[in-house]
PDB file of all heavy atoms in Angstrom:
ATOM      1  N   GLY Z 756      89.232  40.436 141.750  1.00  0.00           N
ATOM      2  CA  GLY Z 756      90.545  40.893 141.324  1.00  0.00           C
ATOM      3  C   GLY Z 756      90.462  42.093 140.414  1.00  0.00           C
ATOM      4  O   GLY Z 756      89.368  42.552 140.065  1.00  0.00           O
ATOM      5  N   PRO Z 757      91.616  42.599 140.026  1.00  0.00           N
ATOM      6  CA  PRO Z 757      91.637  43.748 139.121  1.00  0.00           C
ATOM      7  C   PRO Z 757      90.905  43.431 137.819  1.00  0.00           C
ATOM      8  O   PRO Z 757      90.933  42.309 137.333  1.00  0.00           O
ATOM      9  CB  PRO Z 757      93.127  43.969 138.855  1.00  0.00           C
ATOM     10  CG  PRO Z 757      93.822  43.320 139.989  1.00  0.00           C
ATOM     11  CD  PRO Z 757      92.958  42.169 140.395  1.00  0.00           C
ATOM     12  N   LYS Z 758      90.224  44.435 137.271  1.00  0.00           N
ATOM     13  CA  LYS Z 758      89.528  44.257 136.005  1.00  0.00           C
ATOM     14  C   LYS Z 758      89.624  45.545 135.208  1.00  0.00           C
ATOM     15  O   LYS Z 758      89.857  46.618 135.758  1.00  0.00           O
ATOM     16  CB  LYS Z 758      88.077  43.869 136.245  1.00  0.00           C
ATOM     17  CG  LYS Z 758      87.338  44.800 137.172  1.00  0.00           C
ATOM     18  CD  LYS Z 758      85.996  44.230 137.559  1.00  0.00           C
ATOM     19  CE  LYS Z 758      85.440  45.071 138.692  1.00  0.00           C
ATOM     20  NZ  LYS Z 758      84.832  44.344 139.721  1.00  0.00           N
ATOM     21  N   ARG Z 759      89.459  45.429 133.926  1.00  0.00           N
ATOM     22  CA  ARG Z 759      89.499  46.596 133.050  1.00  0.00           C
ATOM     23  C   ARG Z 759      88.081  47.046 132.769  1.00  0.00           C
ATOM     24  O   ARG Z 759      87.228  46.241 132.433  1.00  0.00           O
ATOM     25  CB  ARG Z 759      90.210  46.239 131.753  1.00  0.00           C
ATOM     26  CG  ARG Z 759      91.681  45.999 131.963  1.00  0.00           C
ATOM     27  CD  ARG Z 759      92.342  45.509 130.674  1.00  0.00           C
ATOM     28  NE  ARG Z 759      93.750  45.307 130.880  1.00  0.00           N
ATOM     29  CZ  ARG Z 759      94.291  44.189 131.317  1.00  0.00           C
ATOM     30  NH1 ARG Z 759      93.530  43.163 131.619  1.00  0.00           N
ATOM     31  NH2 ARG Z 759      95.591  44.079 131.475  1.00  0.00           N
ATOM     32  N   GLN Z 760      87.846  48.346 132.921  1.00  0.00           N
ATOM     33  CA  GLN Z 760      86.512  48.890 132.685  1.00  0.00           C
ATOM     34  C   GLN Z 760      86.610  50.280 132.078  1.00  0.00           C
ATOM     35  O   GLN Z 760      87.640  50.946 132.186  1.00  0.00           O
ATOM     36  CB  GLN Z 760      85.725  48.987 133.998  1.00  0.00           C
ATOM     37  CG  GLN Z 760      85.404  47.660 134.609  1.00  0.00           C
ATOM     38  CD  GLN Z 760      84.541  47.812 135.854  1.00  0.00           C
ATOM     39  OE1 GLN Z 760      84.520  48.842 136.489  1.00  0.00           O
ATOM     40  NE2 GLN Z 760      83.831  46.755 136.188  1.00  0.00           N
ATOM     41  N   ALA Z 761      85.518  50.706 131.487  1.00  0.00           N
ATOM     42  CA  ALA Z 761      85.427  52.073 130.979  1.00  0.00           C
ATOM     43  C   ALA Z 761      85.266  53.028 132.156  1.00  0.00           C
ATOM     44  O   ALA Z 761      84.899  52.622 133.260  1.00  0.00           O
ATOM     45  CB  ALA Z 761      84.245  52.185 130.035  1.00  0.00           C
ATOM     46  N   PHE Z 762      85.534  54.290 131.909  1.00  0.00           N
ATOM     47  CA  PHE Z 762      85.341  55.312 132.933  1.00  0.00           C
ATOM     48  C   PHE Z 762      83.856  55.524 133.173  1.00  0.00           C
ATOM     49  O   PHE Z 762      83.039  55.338 132.276  1.00  0.00           O
ATOM     50  CB  PHE Z 762      85.935  56.654 132.493  1.00  0.00           C
ATOM     51  CG  PHE Z 762      87.411  56.612 132.250  1.00  0.00           C
ATOM     52  CD1 PHE Z 762      87.907  56.705 130.971  1.00  0.00           C
ATOM     53  CD2 PHE Z 762      88.298  56.484 133.295  1.00  0.00           C
ATOM     54  CE1 PHE Z 762      89.267  56.675 130.731  1.00  0.00           C
ATOM     55  CE2 PHE Z 762      89.662  56.449 133.072  1.00  0.00           C
ATOM     56  CZ  PHE Z 762      90.148  56.550 131.781  1.00  0.00           C
ATOM     57  N   GLY Z 763      83.510  55.960 134.384  1.00  0.00           N
ATOM     58  CA  GLY Z 763      82.147  56.364 134.676  1.00  0.00           C
ATOM     59  C   GLY Z 763      81.936  57.811 134.237  1.00  0.00           C
ATOM     60  O   GLY Z 763      82.778  58.406 133.560  1.00  0.00           O
ATOM     61  N   VAL Z 764      80.846  58.387 134.646  1.00  0.00           N
ATOM     62  CA  VAL Z 764      80.503  59.756 134.247  1.00  0.00           C
ATOM     63  C   VAL Z 764      81.409  60.779 134.925  1.00  0.00           C
ATOM     64  O   VAL Z 764      81.871  61.720 134.299  1.00  0.00           O
ATOM     65  CB  VAL Z 764      79.029  60.041 134.586  1.00  0.00           C
ATOM     66  CG1 VAL Z 764      78.674  61.473 134.270  1.00  0.00           C
ATOM     67  CG2 VAL Z 764      78.122  59.092 133.825  1.00  0.00           C
ATOM     68  N   ASN Z 765      81.669  60.602 136.199  1.00  0.00           N
ATOM     69  CA  ASN Z 765      82.482  61.548 136.970  1.00  0.00           C
ATOM     70  C   ASN Z 765      83.863  60.942 137.217  1.00  0.00           C
ATOM     71  O   ASN Z 765      83.989  59.966 137.938  1.00  0.00           O
ATOM     72  CB  ASN Z 765      81.819  61.850 138.314  1.00  0.00           C
ATOM     73  CG  ASN Z 765      80.412  62.358 138.137  1.00  0.00           C
ATOM     74  OD1 ASN Z 765      80.184  63.310 137.433  1.00  0.00           O
ATOM     75  ND2 ASN Z 765      79.458  61.684 138.758  1.00  0.00           N
ATOM     76  N   VAL Z 766      84.886  61.535 136.618  1.00  0.00           N
ATOM     77  CA  VAL Z 766      86.255  61.018 136.735  1.00  0.00           C
ATOM     78  C   VAL Z 766      87.158  62.145 137.212  1.00  0.00           C
ATOM     79  O   VAL Z 766      87.080  63.264 136.711  1.00  0.00           O
ATOM     80  CB  VAL Z 766      86.771  60.494 135.381  1.00  0.00           C
ATOM     81  CG1 VAL Z 766      88.192  59.971 135.514  1.00  0.00           C
ATOM     82  CG2 VAL Z 766      85.865  59.420 134.830  1.00  0.00           C
ATOM     83  N   ILE Z 767      88.024  61.849 138.181  1.00  0.00           N
ATOM     84  CA  ILE Z 767      89.008  62.817 138.654  1.00  0.00           C
ATOM     85  C   ILE Z 767      90.375  62.144 138.699  1.00  0.00           C
ATOM     86  O   ILE Z 767      90.512  61.044 139.234  1.00  0.00           O
ATOM     87  CB  ILE Z 767      88.643  63.371 140.047  1.00  0.00           C
ATOM     88  CG1 ILE Z 767      87.337  64.150 139.963  1.00  0.00           C
ATOM     89  CG2 ILE Z 767      89.765  64.250 140.596  1.00  0.00           C
ATOM     90  CD1 ILE Z 767      86.856  64.702 141.266  1.00  0.00           C
ATOM     91  N   VAL Z 768      91.369  62.815 138.116  1.00  0.00           N
ATOM     92  CA  VAL Z 768      92.747  62.338 138.195  1.00  0.00           C
ATOM     93  C   VAL Z 768      93.285  62.698 139.570  1.00  0.00           C
ATOM     94  O   VAL Z 768      93.335  63.871 139.941  1.00  0.00           O
ATOM     95  CB  VAL Z 768      93.626  62.966 137.089  1.00  0.00           C
ATOM     96  CG1 VAL Z 768      95.079  62.541 137.251  1.00  0.00           C
ATOM     97  CG2 VAL Z 768      93.109  62.595 135.701  1.00  0.00           C
ATOM     98  N   LEU Z 769      93.666  61.688 140.345  1.00  0.00           N
ATOM     99  CA  LEU Z 769      94.209  61.907 141.687  1.00  0.00           C
ATOM    100  C   LEU Z 769      95.714  62.116 141.667  1.00  0.00           C
ATOM    101  O   LEU Z 769      96.272  62.843 142.489  1.00  0.00           O
ATOM    102  CB  LEU Z 769      93.874  60.720 142.587  1.00  0.00           C
ATOM    103  CG  LEU Z 769      92.388  60.427 142.789  1.00  0.00           C
ATOM    104  CD1 LEU Z 769      92.211  59.143 143.574  1.00  0.00           C
ATOM    105  CD2 LEU Z 769      91.702  61.596 143.465  1.00  0.00           C
ATOM    106  N   GLU Z 770      96.374  61.429 140.728  1.00  0.00           N
ATOM    107  CA  GLU Z 770      97.834  61.513 140.616  1.00  0.00           C
ATOM    108  C   GLU Z 770      98.211  61.222 139.167  1.00  0.00           C
ATOM    109  O   GLU Z 770      97.703  60.273 138.574  1.00  0.00           O
ATOM    110  CB  GLU Z 770      98.473  60.480 141.546  1.00  0.00           C
ATOM    111  CG  GLU Z 770      99.975  60.454 141.516  1.00  0.00           C
ATOM    112  CD  GLU Z 770     100.534  59.348 142.402  1.00  0.00           C
ATOM    113  OE1 GLU Z 770     100.649  58.214 141.915  1.00  0.00           O
ATOM    114  OE2 GLU Z 770     100.807  59.637 143.568  1.00  0.00           O
ATOM    115  N   LYS Z 771      99.087  62.049 138.613  1.00  0.00           N
ATOM    116  CA  LYS Z 771      99.565  61.828 137.255  1.00  0.00           C
ATOM    117  C   LYS Z 771     100.554  60.665 137.257  1.00  0.00           C
ATOM    118  O   LYS Z 771     101.064  60.268 138.299  1.00  0.00           O
ATOM    119  CB  LYS Z 771     100.235  63.093 136.706  1.00  0.00           C
ATOM    120  CG  LYS Z 771      99.322  64.299 136.615  1.00  0.00           C
ATOM    121  CD  LYS Z 771      98.147  64.066 135.678  1.00  0.00           C
ATOM    122  CE  LYS Z 771      98.587  64.036 134.224  1.00  0.00           C
ATOM    123  NZ  LYS Z 771      97.483  63.742 133.297  1.00  0.00           N
ATOM    124  N   ALA Z 772     100.828  60.113 136.085  1.00  0.00           N
ATOM    125  CA  ALA Z 772     101.719  58.958 135.965  1.00  0.00           C
ATOM    126  C   ALA Z 772     103.113  59.236 136.527  1.00  0.00           C
ATOM    127  O   ALA Z 772     103.768  58.337 137.045  1.00  0.00           O
ATOM    128  CB  ALA Z 772     101.814  58.525 134.500  1.00  0.00           C
ATOM    129  N   ASP Z 773     103.551  60.504 136.471  1.00  0.00           N
ATOM    130  CA  ASP Z 773     104.878  60.855 136.981  1.00  0.00           C
ATOM    131  C   ASP Z 773     104.889  61.162 138.478  1.00  0.00           C
ATOM    132  O   ASP Z 773     105.896  61.572 139.036  1.00  0.00           O
ATOM    133  CB  ASP Z 773     105.445  62.039 136.202  1.00  0.00           C
ATOM    134  CG  ASP Z 773     104.645  63.323 136.373  1.00  0.00           C
ATOM    135  OD1 ASP Z 773     103.650  63.334 137.146  1.00  0.00           O
ATOM    136  OD2 ASP Z 773     105.011  64.327 135.731  1.00  0.00           O
ATOM    137  N   GLY Z 774     103.738  60.988 139.149  1.00  0.00           N
ATOM    138  CA  GLY Z 774     103.653  61.223 140.586  1.00  0.00           C
ATOM    139  C   GLY Z 774     103.182  62.617 140.969  1.00  0.00           C
ATOM    140  O   GLY Z 774     102.953  62.891 142.144  1.00  0.00           O
ATOM    141  N   ALA Z 775     103.032  63.500 139.993  1.00  0.00           N
ATOM    142  CA  ALA Z 775     102.590  64.867 140.271  1.00  0.00           C
ATOM    143  C   ALA Z 775     101.104  64.883 140.629  1.00  0.00           C
ATOM    144  O   ALA Z 775     100.330  64.063 140.147  1.00  0.00           O
ATOM    145  CB  ALA Z 775     102.835  65.759 139.056  1.00  0.00           C
ATOM    146  N   ILE Z 776     100.726  65.820 141.479  1.00  0.00           N
ATOM    147  CA  ILE Z 776      99.326  66.029 141.839  1.00  0.00           C
ATOM    148  C   ILE Z 776      98.758  67.072 140.866  1.00  0.00           C
ATOM    149  O   ILE Z 776      99.345  68.144 140.714  1.00  0.00           O
ATOM    150  CB  ILE Z 776      99.192  66.539 143.294  1.00  0.00           C
ATOM    151  CG1 ILE Z 776      99.848  65.560 144.271  1.00  0.00           C
ATOM    152  CG2 ILE Z 776      97.727  66.780 143.643  1.00  0.00           C
ATOM    153  CD1 ILE Z 776      99.260  64.172 144.272  1.00  0.00           C
ATOM    154  N   PRO Z 777      97.634  66.775 140.208  1.00  0.00           N
ATOM    155  CA  PRO Z 777      97.062  67.741 139.268  1.00  0.00           C
ATOM    156  C   PRO Z 777      96.766  69.080 139.941  1.00  0.00           C
ATOM    157  O   PRO Z 777      96.412  69.131 141.126  1.00  0.00           O
ATOM    158  CB  PRO Z 777      95.764  67.070 138.808  1.00  0.00           C
ATOM    159  CG  PRO Z 777      95.983  65.620 139.046  1.00  0.00           C
ATOM    160  CD  PRO Z 777      96.861  65.540 140.257  1.00  0.00           C
ATOM    161  N   GLU Z 778      96.891  70.153 139.182  1.00  0.00           N
ATOM    162  CA  GLU Z 778      96.740  71.508 139.721  1.00  0.00           C
ATOM    163  C   GLU Z 778      95.429  71.727 140.480  1.00  0.00           C
ATOM    164  O   GLU Z 778      95.462  72.300 141.573  1.00  0.00           O
ATOM    165  CB  GLU Z 778      96.883  72.530 138.595  1.00  0.00           C
ATOM    166  CG  GLU Z 778      96.933  73.946 139.093  1.00  0.00           C
ATOM    167  CD  GLU Z 778      97.202  74.932 137.973  1.00  0.00           C
ATOM    168  OE1 GLU Z 778      97.949  74.591 137.046  1.00  0.00           O
ATOM    169  OE2 GLU Z 778      96.666  76.043 138.051  1.00  0.00           O
ATOM    170  N   PRO Z 779      94.266  71.297 139.960  1.00  0.00           N
ATOM    171  CA  PRO Z 779      93.038  71.541 140.735  1.00  0.00           C
ATOM    172  C   PRO Z 779      93.071  70.909 142.126  1.00  0.00           C
ATOM    173  O   PRO Z 779      92.590  71.501 143.085  1.00  0.00           O
ATOM    174  CB  PRO Z 779      91.946  70.920 139.873  1.00  0.00           C
ATOM    175  CG  PRO Z 779      92.490  70.936 138.483  1.00  0.00           C
ATOM    176  CD  PRO Z 779      93.965  70.709 138.666  1.00  0.00           C
ATOM    177  N   LEU Z 780      93.671  69.738 142.255  1.00  0.00           N
ATOM    178  CA  LEU Z 780      93.756  69.100 143.583  1.00  0.00           C
ATOM    179  C   LEU Z 780      94.842  69.745 144.425  1.00  0.00           C
ATOM    180  O   LEU Z 780      94.702  69.883 145.633  1.00  0.00           O
ATOM    181  CB  LEU Z 780      94.023  67.601 143.449  1.00  0.00           C
ATOM    182  CG  LEU Z 780      92.899  66.778 142.842  1.00  0.00           C
ATOM    183  CD1 LEU Z 780      93.288  65.310 142.801  1.00  0.00           C
ATOM    184  CD2 LEU Z 780      91.605  66.962 143.609  1.00  0.00           C
ATOM    185  N   GLY Z 781      95.929  70.140 143.801  1.00  0.00           N
ATOM    186  CA  GLY Z 781      97.002  70.820 144.515  1.00  0.00           C
ATOM    187  C   GLY Z 781      96.532  72.116 145.145  1.00  0.00           C
ATOM    188  O   GLY Z 781      96.965  72.469 146.239  1.00  0.00           O
TER     189      GLY Z 781
END
């Protein structure tokens, strides 16, 4: 099931909380 964890070394934001796509991905 879902679990809470720290981020790994490589992290990419796929979608902002408001539904926007971050500029580098856009």
Side-chain angles (χ1 to χ4, degrees):
K758 53 190 169 222
R759 291 174 179 88
Q760 294 184 337
F762 299 109
V764 176
N765 304 305
V766 180
I767 296 178
V768 176
L769 300 174
E770 179 183 86
K771 299 298 289 177
D773 64 3
I776 303 300
E778 188 175 325
L780 293 181

